[in-house]
Amino acid sequence: MLRLLLHFFFGGVFVYAGLLKVADPMSFLDDIRSFDLLGDPWAAWLAMGLPWLEIFAGLSVMSGLLRPGGLLILNGSLLIFLVAISISWWRGIDIRCGCFGHADATSNYRDLILRDILLLISGLVLVWHGKPRSKA
């Protein structure tokens, strides 16, 4: 039961975040540009595609349909987010995260990194506990 709740929480976070980004793609594009890591048209492609990837991968984790792939995508995304946030912090750039829509516009790096680490731990727990046990 706890594992099912964790699947719904973990997947639901990304479905929610993706829906907020889909609702305001131009603000999300501005947030991506604030990291100063991708130029156009790459930033625009990311702004259009990432929210849908989060939504479908989150739904996959929640429903169980292709769950290992959804977990791989979301855990990989969290690692990429952590790297991007860390690089921006190191470079002293004032970013607007955009993780949960434009209302989440913050550059509190410690909070962003802590949140992503906690989500990554949740995702890795789901991967670890989703593996079939061998009967020896």
Side-chain angles (χ1 to χ4, degrees):
M1 180 66 171
L2 183 60
R3 187 171 20 163
L4 181 64
L5 287 174
L6 189 55
H7 280 109
F8 270 88
F9 167 76
F10 186 73
V13 165
F14 286 94
V15 170
Y16 176 70
L19 289 172
L20 290 174
K21 292 171 192 154
V22 165
D24 192 1
M26 292 308 294
S27 291
F28 183 51
L29 175 58
D30 288 339
D31 294 338
I32 291 172
R33 287 177 175 154
S34 77
F35 281 77
D36 197 27
L37 292 172
L38 291 175
D40 286 326
W42 305 110
W45 283 106
L46 183 64
M48 289 187 296
L50 181 62
W52 292 105
L53 184 67
E54 289 178 336
I55 291 167
F56 290 124
L59 289 172
S60 172
V61 170
M62 292 170 71
S63 70
L65 182 64
L66 302 172
R67 182 175 284 152
L71 286 169
L72 178 66
I73 288 169
L74 296 179
N75 285 325
S77 296
L78 284 166
L79 287 173
I80 292 169
F81 299 157
L82 282 165
V83 168
I85 292 166
S86 299
I87 288 171
S88 295
W89 191 11
W90 180 73
R91 293 170 59 202
I93 296 174
D94 187 22
I95 62 168
R96 291 178 311 279
C97 176
C99 305
F100 292 95
H102 204 59
D104 185 44
T106 178
S107 61
N108 186 334
Y109 291 102
R110 288 187 184 112
D111 288 351
L112 295 174
I113 290 171
L114 179 62
R115 179 183 64 199
D116 284 354
I117 287 173
L118 291 174
L119 281 169
L120 183 59
I121 289 169
S122 299
L124 293 174
V125 165
L126 290 173
V127 169
W128 177 260
H129 287 289
K131 292 184 179 185
R133 306 275 190 249
S134 62
K135 296 179 182 181

